[in-house]
């Protein structure tokens, strides 16, 4: 197969996978911090052999993971806000869509 086949604009892009991104980033961030803490008792050995960058890489991964966690939480909140209906049309008294999608409560009682 040639590279041009993969680079043509004729191919449709697949739909993005949407999962629990916040959980994924949180687990990855926790893993970086656990690795940092697991290596911390061996700092002397790492320093003697010139491998202290291993510890600092884990700490940097955890720090960047915290930044990523803030980002994906804000993104998730923005997606939820955009999905909510806005304006008075189509919303019930509590702000959620009413049963019929019309304004006002549904008539009830024996006359309905």
């Amino acid at each position: 197969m040639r590279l041009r086949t993969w680079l043509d604009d004729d191919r449709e892009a697949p739909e993005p996978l949407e999962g629990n991104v916040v959980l994924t980033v949180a687990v990855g961030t926790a893993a970086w911090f656990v690795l940092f803490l697991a290596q911390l008792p061996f700092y002397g050995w790492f320093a003697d052999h010139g491998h202290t960058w291993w510890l600092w890489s884990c700490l940097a991964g955890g720090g960047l993971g915290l930044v990523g966690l803030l980002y994906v939480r804000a993104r998730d909140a923005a997606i939820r806000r955009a999905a909510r209906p806005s304006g008075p049309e189509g919303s019930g008294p509590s702000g959620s869509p009413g049963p019929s999608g019309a304004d006002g409560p549904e008539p009830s009682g024996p006359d309905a």
Side-chain angles (χ1 to χ4, degrees):
M1 201 180 262
R2 293 181 356 195
L3 181 60
R4 185 166 186 82
T5 307
W6 291 101
L7 298 178
D8 282 343
D9 290 334
D10 298 337
R11 296 176 60 91
E12 241 181 84
E15 290 295 317
L17 295 175
E18 286 294 330
N20 192 346
V21 181
V22 176
L23 179 65
T24 304
V25 173
V27 168
T29 301
W32 280 113
F33 280 124
V34 166
L35 287 170
F36 172 74
L37 293 174
Q39 293 177 7
L40 200 54
F42 305 104
Y43 182 82
W45 185 89
F46 286 121
D48 291 343
H49 293 89
H51 294 304
T52 54
W53 65 270
W54 288 13
L55 278 91
W56 306 129
S57 295
C58 292
L59 187 60
L64 290 172
L66 289 177
V67 172
L69 193 58
L70 291 173
Y71 175 80
V72 297
R73 289 185 66 201
R75 176 185 174 269
D76 198 35
I79 289 171
R80 273 191 258 116
R81 271 193 314 271
R84 276 190 293 184
S86 61
E89 65 275 346
S91 61
S94 65
S96 61
S100 66
D103 289 328
E106 283 288 314
S108 61
D111 300 336

